[in-house]
Amino acid sequence: HDKRKHAPIFIQKTYEMINTCDPSIASWTDDGSMFSIKDQKLFAERVIPQFFDHSNFSSFSRQLNFYMFRKIQARAIYKDDYKESAKYVTFFNKHFHREKPELLKEIKRTTNRTQNAASQHEQQNEIEMLREKVELLETLQKSQNDRIAALEALILKGSPKRDSDA
């Protein structure tokens, strides 16, 4: 019984594509939660046509966007790591995971209208959460400022004034 059975065809093909691709062209990230296209040109020429009726990376990327995949910016831990991974295009969708093919059926293609409504709702929730965090940080900052002012007052009060030691 194939766990991917009820996932959209595009998603099934993409999952198969990443699982069978030459790892020097595209592969899963180490933890399996994302996949990276390491060589867009070779991916478009050699890999995409094996699964789809075209060899256009932009079209493939646009389809991923319709399925709520997000491009993740490469971040280097060390300066030297960045050179190689900066060229990679990494995609993430919380239901697209190497070890969890049963989640693929949760990935749905969105229309702009439903995508906009859902993302606007998500954005409103995120904005509200960020507002609360900012309020908390402002309160903590004020408290720290008050403590610093009190300490400065103690220091100034306790230190004798010196004109000069001459």
Side-chain angles (χ1 to χ4, degrees):
H1 179 69
D2 191 347
K3 294 178 179 178
R4 297 171 291 161
K5 194 173 181 181
H6 300 293
I9 298 297
F10 174 80
I11 297 300
Q12 291 179 36
K13 286 183 174 185
T14 302
Y15 187 79
E16 185 68 20
M17 182 188 297
I18 302 307
N19 279 331
T20 59
C21 188
D22 174 344
S24 68
I25 298 173
S27 67
W28 291 99
T29 55
D30 289 343
D31 66 358
S33 66
M34 296 180 265
F35 68 93
S36 295
I37 310 298
K38 299 174 182 177
D39 188 326
Q40 288 182 40
K41 188 174 181 292
L42 284 179
F43 187 79
E45 290 171 1
R46 297 183 188 172
V47 183
I48 293 175
Q50 292 176 29
F51 294 86
F52 302 104
D53 295 331
H54 66 85
S55 59
N56 187 328
F57 184 80
S58 295
S59 294
F60 176 73
S61 182
R62 193 166 38 256
Q63 282 299 311
L64 289 172
N65 287 334
F66 281 126
Y67 286 96
M68 301 298 285
F69 280 78
R70 294 291 162 252
K71 280 186 184 176
I72 307 298
Q73 188 64 42
R75 287 198 181 93
I77 296 171
Y78 300 107
K79 205 164 50 175
D80 293 341
D81 291 347
Y82 190 71
K83 293 171 191 156
E84 207 47 45
S85 63
K87 298 178 284 201
Y88 296 179
V89 181
T90 301
F91 291 95
F92 170 78
N93 178 306
K94 65 182 177 182
H95 298 298
F96 195 85
H97 196 286
R98 178 182 55 213
E99 310 299 330
K100 300 175 184 171
E102 67 278 7
L103 295 179
L104 295 177
K105 66 183 179 293
E106 303 299 325
I107 302 174
K108 307 288 186 234
R109 191 176 197 282
T110 59
T111 61
N112 281 343
R113 191 172 292 156
T114 59
Q115 183 176 350
N116 286 344
S119 68
Q120 280 181 343
H121 181 69
E122 286 176 18
Q123 287 174 355
Q124 287 303 323
N125 288 344
E126 190 167 355
I127 288 168
E128 192 53 41
M129 185 183 68
L130 290 170
R131 275 192 184 123
E132 291 171 9
K133 283 185 178 178
V134 167
E135 283 178 29
L136 174 63
L137 289 171
E138 285 174 340
T139 302
L140 291 171
Q141 183 65 48
K142 184 181 179 333
S143 171
Q144 291 299 327
N145 289 347
D146 292 347
R147 292 177 70 189
I148 290 169
L151 287 170
E152 285 175 339
L154 281 172
I155 291 169
L156 291 174
K157 187 177 161 186
S159 67
K161 287 188 178 177
R162 292 186 217 166
D163 291 2
S164 70
D165 290 343

